[in-house]
Each structure stands twice: as structure tokens, then as C-alpha cells.
Amino acid sequence: MDIIQSYGLILIIIAAVFGFLMAYGVGANDVANAMGTSVGSKALTIKQAIFIAAIFEFAGAYLAGGSVTSTIRGGITDASFFVDTPELMAYGMIAALLAAATWLIVASYFGWPVSTTHSIVGAIIGFAAVGVGMDAVHWNKVGGIVGSWVVTPMLAGVLAYMFFMSAQRLIFDTDNPLANAKKYVPFYMAFAAFMMSLVTVQKGLVHVGLDISTITGYYIALAIAVVVGLIGKVVISRIKFDPAADKKMQFNNVERIFGVLMITTACCMAFAHGSNDVANAIGPLAAVVSVVSSGGEISSKAQLAWWILPLGAVGIVIGLATLGARVIKTVGTAITHLTPSRGFAAELSAASTVVIASGTGLPISTTQTLVGAVLGVGLARGIAALNLGVVRNIFISWIITLPVGAGLAIVFFYILKAIFSI
């Protein structure tokens, strides 16, 4: 308790600095989830993608990032183990923030799309297991995360393959692609609107304070889907194309339609991502502030101080603006060649997987979801369409994220403990 009372302000300042670094890493790495496919398919330039993502990621993080957040991310550790030694909680959360931030910035520099959630979870596992004992970790939760490395990308890949192949058969492989695009694209728009609305409601607006039940969320999403589908039908029917154009020109015009769709889906994904993943940066920071402010009292929930959410939101935007382009290029262009229709299939698949996972309680990484979807689209054109060297590096980076986060957190935890014990 003496350490909390004597060094409380210093601990909060250190946590705030490392929390900002963590938010920077989230922005630098995870922005590819929302924008990688849009850039890779040339629906947006990198500058346009960063500008749009900055607006919607900030809006999601600041407006819907949450008034209350769990102090222990994902229920990975048992808070009761820290009741008698609250300073260990503070050291551990600070160490976890620095460890996860370090790994995310390194991964972003090399263009590796890794999971920000798994980075912070690995770091928390590391300090909890070493700081207070193996029993402080809920290992069944860890098993679920490891299982999601296989389940999540596979599910997203299968859905992306199905969406892409349906577009091929209904539109691109027909005698009149333009006419069929006018016929079927409004249904894709309606389905995309339905999934994006669900993602935004379930992973974004849930934090605003709106008490929206699951069934109400579905009704809202369905209403939005019907409206978007009807608007899409009217707009597309009014677009004038040369009916005598050759098939290549018709393909180009169809891709233009999908390109517009991609911009819309990217905005929704950025908002939902900002609202959800800002917790990876501010959750541990909120825990430290809560412990210090209460004089060492440990609680399972932490009320956010007014300055924490803007700190996380600004960190995300600066991270994506300065380092985000590297991961965007990996997801958008290095794995496989994307066109707007392929990118749309991947993004729609990622959104659908997020909705399914949220409904079933499956641990999920948005990064692995989108990469799996891009792989599914690439495989639809054959294994040769994939850059297997890039895919190998991505898979390796996924596997080492948890242990690297844990290892760094252990090192930083002991350093902090030594410094404040002097």
C-alpha cells in the first residue's frame, strides 16, 4: 500500500505514456483490418485510406469506446490474487502495456499483421503467471485463444471463398455482366449493410450506453439492410453504361460499383474496430488509474477517467498515420492480387465472421479474420495466386505473438518491481 500512496502519480504518468504507445501500436497495425483490402483493390489510395480511417477510428474510439471497461482484459487473470499486493497489479499492467506496444511497433515496422488483442493478452498472462503464480491465469481462456488461431481464419476464408465464387457465377461468368450486376449487387449491398450494422451495433454502439438487446440489434440491422438495398437498386439502375461495350469494359464498370461499396464497408469496419480495440490500450491503463485512485483497492471493473479515452483515440490515429501504411500494403497487395469485387468479398466475410464470433462467444482477432478472408479469396483462383512466403511470415508472427508478449512483460515487470523497491 505504501508504494501506491508514495508513487501513485508517477505510476499513472508511466502508465499513460505506455498506454499511448500501445494505442499507437494498435493504430499502426490493426488499421489494416479496415483499410488493407480497400487499398489493395485500388478502391482507395493509401492517403485516402489513412484520412478516412483517422476519422472513423477516432470516432469509434472516442464516441463508443466505453464508459466502463474491464481492468483485466478478457478475464484472463483473477483479480482476487492482487488484493493484498495491489502494487503488483500496477507494475504488471504497466509492463503489459509496454510489452504489447513494443511488439506491435516492431511487427508494424516489418509489415506483419498481428493481433493486438493477443499481444496484450499474452503480456498479461506473462506478468500474472510470474508475478503472482500460475493459478492467477485462467488457462481455459488461453486455450480458446489458441484455438481461434485456426478457427477464425478458416471460417473467414470459407465465407470469402463463397462470396467471391457467388459473384463470379452470378455476375462475372455470365454473358451480360453489367445487367446481372444491376440485378444482384443490390442484394450484396443489403447483406453488407446488415452485417456492417450488426458489427457496429454489437462491437461499437454497445459502449455508448444505449441498452440495445440482441434481437433489437438484428431488427435495426435488417431495417438498414432493406433501405440500403432499395437505395442501391435505384442508384445502380440510373447509372448509364454503354450496352454495346465489350466484356472487358463491362468488367471494369462492375468493379467500379464494387469499389464504391468497399469504401462504405471500410468506414463501418473502421468505426467498429476503433470502438472495440481501443480497449486493448485503455483497459490496462484504466486498471492502473483505478488502483491508484482508490488507494490500492482492486475491483473487476474500472470507471474511466475523462482523459483516458481521448488519449487512446489520438494514439490510434497517430499510429495509423505514421506507420500504418506498411501493414496496409501487406494485407492489401502482398498476399494476393485484389480487385474491388475480391476485396469486397474479403471485407464482407470478415464482418460476417465478427458477427458470428460475437454471437457465439468465440475469441476473435480481427487481424486473423481479415487475413483469412484475403487468403480465401486468393485460393478461389488457385494456390498459385497466393504469395506463400508472405503467408508463412504472417503465420509465424501469429504463433510467436503470445509468447513474445509474455516474455517481454515478464522482463519489464521485474525491472519495474526492482526500480520501485529501491
Side-chain angles (χ1 to χ4, degrees):
M1 290 290 188
D2 292 339
I3 289 175
I4 295 293
Q5 291 169 354
S6 302
Y7 300 106
L9 181 60
I10 295 173
L11 288 171
I12 288 177
I13 292 171
I14 295 172
V17 171
F18 293 163
F20 179 84
L21 276 179
M22 177 61 185
Y24 179 93
V26 170
N29 202 283
D30 254 18
V31 71
N33 298 329
M35 292 296 156
T37 49
S38 299
V39 173
S41 64
K42 295 185 170 55
L44 293 170
T45 65
I46 281 193
K47 286 184 179 179
Q48 290 170 334
I50 288 174
F51 179 74
I52 289 173
I55 294 172
F56 285 91
E57 290 269 349
F58 184 90
Y62 186 64
L63 298 177
S67 56
V68 178
T69 185
S70 296
T71 57
I72 316 240
R73 177 70 186 163
I76 293 297
T77 60
D78 188 342
S80 64
F81 280 82
F82 298 93
V83 171
D84 296 328
T85 52
E87 67 275 10
L88 295 184
M89 166 76 84
Y91 300 157
M93 289 299 177
I94 292 171
L97 283 172
L98 181 56
T102 301
W103 171 238
L104 287 175
I105 291 170
V106 169
S108 300
Y109 179 81
F110 288 105
W112 300 331
V114 297
S115 169
T116 55
T117 304
H118 293 175
S119 299
I120 192 67
V121 164
I124 290 174
I125 289 170
F127 95 76
V130 171
V132 295
M134 300 291 279
D135 291 340
V137 179
H138 293 152
W139 292 104
N140 58 324
K141 295 261 188 180
V142 179
I145 290 170
V146 173
S148 74
W149 292 344
V150 177
V151 176
T152 302
M154 190 175 292
L155 176 59
V158 169
L159 288 175
Y161 180 90
M162 291 166 58
F163 288 138
F164 176 69
M165 293 308 293
S166 71
Q168 285 293 111
R169 290 183 180 168
L170 294 174
I171 299 172
F172 289 99
D173 291 344
T174 61
D175 293 332
N176 196 333
L178 264 180
N180 284 305
K182 289 184 177 183
K183 181 179 178 181
Y184 291 112
V185 165
F187 289 100
Y188 284 110
M189 292 178 71
F191 186 72
F194 179 73
M195 285 301 176
M196 292 298 165
S197 300
L198 277 180
V199 169
T200 305
V201 169
Q202 290 187 357
K203 302 201 78 173
L205 301 182
V206 70
H207 303 300
V208 176
L210 297 175
D211 188 16
I212 299 175
S213 65
T214 302
I215 192 70
T216 304
Y218 275 92
Y219 284 140
I220 292 171
L222 190 60
I224 292 172
V226 171
V227 171
V228 169
L230 292 173
I231 292 173
K233 187 169 182 62
V234 171
V235 171
I236 292 172
S237 66
R238 291 183 176 179
I239 298 175
K240 301 299 181 186
F241 296 118
D242 181 6
D246 61 17
K247 252 196 171 180
K248 184 177 180 182
M249 182 56 69
Q250 288 196 42
F251 285 159
N252 291 338
N253 288 328
V254 172
E255 291 291 1
R256 277 170 51 203
I257 296 172
F258 278 106
V260 175
L261 287 181
M262 284 214 66
I263 296 171
T264 308
T265 55
C267 292
C268 293
M269 286 294 283
F271 181 87
H273 172 263
S275 66
N276 187 66
D277 279 24
V278 70
N280 291 329
I282 65 173
L285 171 56
V288 175
V289 174
S290 175
V291 169
V292 172
S293 301
S294 63
E297 184 182 335
I298 302 291
S299 61
S300 60
K301 295 279 186 181
Q303 191 72 29
L304 286 183
W306 66 268
W307 52 270
I308 293 178
L309 214 49
L311 181 83
V314 170
I316 284 176
V317 171
I318 294 176
L320 74 91
T322 55
L323 204 55
R326 292 173 181 262
V327 181
I328 286 177
K329 284 181 178 177
T330 299
V331 173
T333 61
I335 297 174
T336 191
H337 175 65
L338 292 176
T339 61
S341 60
R342 294 170 194 159
F344 175 73
E347 213 152 72
L348 183 55
S349 161
S352 302
T353 305
V354 169
V355 170
I356 293 168
S358 298
T360 58
L362 182 74
I364 193 167
S365 159
T366 46
T367 300
Q368 293 175 356
T369 301
L370 196 91
V371 170
V374 172
L375 287 172
V377 169
L379 281 171
R381 297 183 299 125
I383 193 77
L386 297 175
N387 186 332
L388 295 179
V390 171
V391 174
R392 180 198 65 223
N393 290 341
I394 290 172
F395 280 144
I396 291 172
S397 70
W398 287 357
I399 292 168
I400 65 174
T401 291
L402 220 62
V404 166
L408 288 173
I410 290 168
V411 172
F412 295 144
F413 175 77
Y414 278 121
I415 290 173
L416 285 166
K417 194 175 178 182
I419 290 172
F420 285 97
S421 298
I422 294 174

